[in-house]
Amino acid sequence: MIEEHRDVMMENYQEKYKKELYQQEINSNIHTLKGFFWIFVTILLLWLLTLVRIFIVDARIFTMAAGVSAVMGIPVLYIYKKVDLSKHWVKYVFLTLICMISAVIAAFLSFHAVLIYVLPLLLAVQYRERMTLWITYVVNDVTMAVSMVTGFYHGICDLNMLLGSNHSRDWYMEQWMAGTLQFGIEPDPVFVILFYGALPRAVILLIFTIILRYISITSHEDAQRIADLTYRKETDLGTHVYNKNKYEEMINDYYPQVDRLAAIFWDVNNLKCVNDKYGHAAGDVLIQTLSSVLYELSTDRRKVYRIGGDEFVMLIENPVEAEIQSMIESVSAALQEKNSQGEMPVSSAVGWAEGCGVDVRKIINEADAKMYENKTRGKECRK
C-alpha cells in the first residue's frame, strides 16, 4: 500500500516537473522576444538621431542596417503569433536571428557596435539546455566573421585594418601634421580581418561564454537548492501535501485576499483503534490512503494541507457551484474503491464551510466544528 502510494506521488511529481519545464521554455522564449523588442527600439532611436544629425554617421548606411534588421524581425513576429513557443526549435531560430541582427548592425557600423556580439550570449544563457549557449557562441562567431568582412567593404571600416598597421590616432595625426604620412594598403585584407580581427573577438566571446555558463550553472544549482529547501519547509514528507507551516502562512498572508473561499476538513475514522490493534504502521497506511486521494484532487486553486496527525483540510479559492459537494463525493467514492480492492478499510469524517476570504479563520473554524460533529455522531471502534 505504501509503495503504491509512493508510485502515485512520483507520477504526479513527474507530471508537474514536465509541466514546469514546458512553462520554463515558454518563459525563456518570451524573454528573448523582449530582447528583440529592445534591440529594435534602440536601433530605431539611434537611426532617428542619425537622421537629425545628432550622430555623425552616414545616414544611408544606418538606414540600410535598420531596414535589414526590421526584415529579420518578420519571422520573429510570425513565430510569436502562429507558433507554440514551447517548441524545441523556436529558441534556436530566435537566437540565430539575434546573432544575424547583431552581425548586420556591427557590419554597417563596425567599431561603434562591437559590444553587440555579447547580446546573443546574454539571451542564450537563460535556457536550461547547456548546448544552447554553445551553439549560440558558434553561430555568433560565424556571423561575426561574415559581418567584419562585409563591414570592411560596405560599412564604416576600421582604419588600421585598411592600412595593415597598428598605430594610434595620435601617431596618424603627428605624421599627417609633419607631412610625412606614408603607408601601404594591406594586400590581403580578408585574412587580416579574420585573423587579427575576428579571431581575437571570438576568443574574447569564448571567455564571456565560459563565464556566463559558470554563472548559469551556479544559478541553477542555487535555484535547485532553494526549491528543495522550500519544498521541505512547506511539504509534509509523509503524505506530500502541504504541511502546517505552509497552512499558517497562507491563512495569514494569502487567503484573506481571496474573494470567496471554501474549507473542507477530513479526519480519519478509528485511527486510534487501528493503531492500538494493528500498530502505527497500519495507522500510517490509513493516513496515506486518504492523503493520496486528496492529493490527486488538488490543483493550484484547491490546495490540501495536513494540519494534524490524521486531519487534512482542502482550501478552495473561488469555488464554483456544487464544487464542495463534488469534492466530498469524489473523496468518498475513491476511498470506497480502495476498500473494495481488499485493502484496510478507510473512512473519514468530513465538514465544510464557505464564505469571504477575509473571514478565513471563521470559515475554517466552522468547517472544523462540523467535521467533529460528524465524527462524534458516527464514531465507533472497529474490532
Side-chain angles (χ1 to χ4, degrees):
M1 175 63 190
I2 294 177
E3 287 74 12
E4 179 185 352
H5 173 74
R6 289 174 178 170
D7 291 341
V8 171
M9 293 298 181
M10 183 58 66
E11 290 177 4
N12 289 330
Y13 289 143
Q14 289 175 348
E15 185 64 28
K16 288 190 175 182
Y17 179 72
K18 291 178 182 178
K19 183 178 179 181
E20 180 63 25
L21 293 182
Y22 175 88
Q23 190 59 45
Q24 284 185 12
E25 190 80 357
I26 294 176
N27 292 340
S28 295
N29 284 329
I30 290 175
H31 294 156
T32 302
L33 280 170
K34 291 179 180 178
F36 270 107
F37 172 77
W38 287 113
I39 288 174
F40 288 131
V41 168
T42 303
I43 292 174
L44 178 61
L45 177 61
L46 294 176
W47 176 62
L48 292 175
L49 292 175
T50 299
L51 292 181
V52 298
R53 307 305 296 167
I54 299 297
F55 293 146
I56 307 176
V57 178
D58 190 318
R60 180 184 61 83
I61 293 177
F62 208 133
T63 299
M64 189 178 301
V68 174
S69 299
V71 170
M72 290 185 178
I74 294 175
V76 175
L77 183 61
Y78 176 82
I79 291 174
Y80 173 68
K81 292 291 187 180
K82 300 293 185 179
V83 178
D84 180 2
L85 292 182
S86 67
K87 296 291 186 182
H88 185 72
W89 54 268
V90 169
K91 60 176 173 288
Y92 293 111
V93 174
F94 281 176
L95 292 170
T96 298
L97 288 171
I98 286 281
C99 290
M100 293 173 66
I101 291 174
S102 301
V104 167
I105 298 301
F108 287 110
L109 303 182
S110 190
F111 55 86
H112 290 80
V114 66
L115 291 178
I116 199 171
Y117 292 123
V118 180
L119 182 60
L121 301 178
L122 294 176
L123 292 173
V125 75
Q126 66 180 315
Y127 292 94
R128 293 183 68 259
E129 292 185 23
R130 181 179 305 176
M131 288 303 299
T132 303
L133 180 60
W134 290 111
I135 291 173
T136 304
Y137 168 73
V138 172
V139 174
N140 212 16
D141 284 349
V142 172
T143 55
M144 177 181 63
V146 174
S147 169
M148 293 183 69
V149 174
T150 303
F152 177 79
Y153 292 103
H154 303 289
I156 305 172
C157 65
D158 294 328
L159 185 61
N160 282 325
M161 289 187 180
L162 175 64
L163 301 179
S165 60
N166 60 356
H167 299 295
S168 66
R169 173 185 175 279
D170 291 340
W171 184 88
Y172 286 114
M173 293 301 296
E174 290 173 3
Q175 298 299 312
W176 181 74
M177 294 293 292
T180 59
L181 184 60
Q182 296 181 358
F183 53 83
I185 300 297
E186 172 59 47
D188 191 2
V190 174
F191 172 79
V192 172
I193 291 170
L194 295 178
F195 190 79
Y196 294 105
L199 181 59
R201 290 180 182 180
V203 173
I204 293 172
L205 288 177
L206 176 61
I207 297 172
F208 269 103
T209 303
I210 293 172
I211 293 173
L212 287 172
R213 183 58 196 162
Y214 171 77
I215 293 173
S216 174
I217 292 174
T218 302
S219 298
H220 286 155
E221 289 177 348
D222 289 345
Q224 184 64 41
R225 282 195 294 270
I226 292 172
D228 184 62
L229 290 173
T230 301
Y231 176 79
R232 293 177 180 276
K233 173 178 173 290
E234 298 180 345
T235 307
D236 179 71
L237 299 182
T239 60
H240 300 290
V241 299
Y242 288 116
N243 61 20
K244 193 169 184 178
N245 289 334
K246 181 66 173 178
Y247 168 77
E248 293 292 344
E249 176 187 328
M250 294 291 282
I251 64 173
N252 284 330
D253 302 330
Y254 179 75
Y255 288 121
Q257 313 302 322
V258 176
D259 184 24
R260 297 290 297 175
L261 187 68
I264 310 176
F265 269 81
W266 285 272
D267 187 287
V268 176
N269 288 329
N270 307 311
L271 180 64
K272 185 177 184 305
C273 295
V274 172
N275 284 337
D276 292 342
K277 188 172 183 179
Y278 301 104
H280 286 277
D284 289 341
V285 170
L286 299 184
I287 293 173
Q288 291 174 345
T289 300
L290 175 59
S291 68
S292 65
V293 170
L294 296 176
Y295 182 86
E296 290 173 5
L297 293 172
S298 65
T299 64
D300 290 339
R301 195 172 55 82
R302 295 194 299 260
K303 294 182 175 62
V304 177
Y305 306 85
R306 184 185 185 184
I307 60 174
D310 62 338
E311 193 171 36
F312 297 86
V313 60
M314 175 185 288
L315 293 177
I316 307 175
E317 302 172 37
N318 300 311
V320 298
E321 184 178 358
E323 183 174 6
I324 298 173
Q325 191 61 34
S326 174
M327 288 297 101
I328 295 173
E329 292 175 355
S330 296
V331 172
S332 177
L335 292 179
Q336 288 180 13
E337 181 180 354
K338 290 181 180 295
N339 293 342
S340 67
Q341 296 172 357
E343 299 172 355
M344 182 173 292
V346 184
S347 65
S348 63
V350 62
W352 65 271
E354 182 181 3
C356 297
V358 69
D359 299 321
V360 55
R361 293 189 179 277
K362 178 181 177 181
I363 296 169
I364 289 172
N365 290 336
E366 183 180 345
D368 191 25
K370 288 183 178 179
M371 184 270 291
Y372 273 104
E373 290 176 7
N374 178 275
K375 191 175 185 70
T376 300
R377 286 196 303 268
K379 190 172 183 181
E380 62 180 20
C381 185
R382 296 180 181 178
K383 298 181 180 180

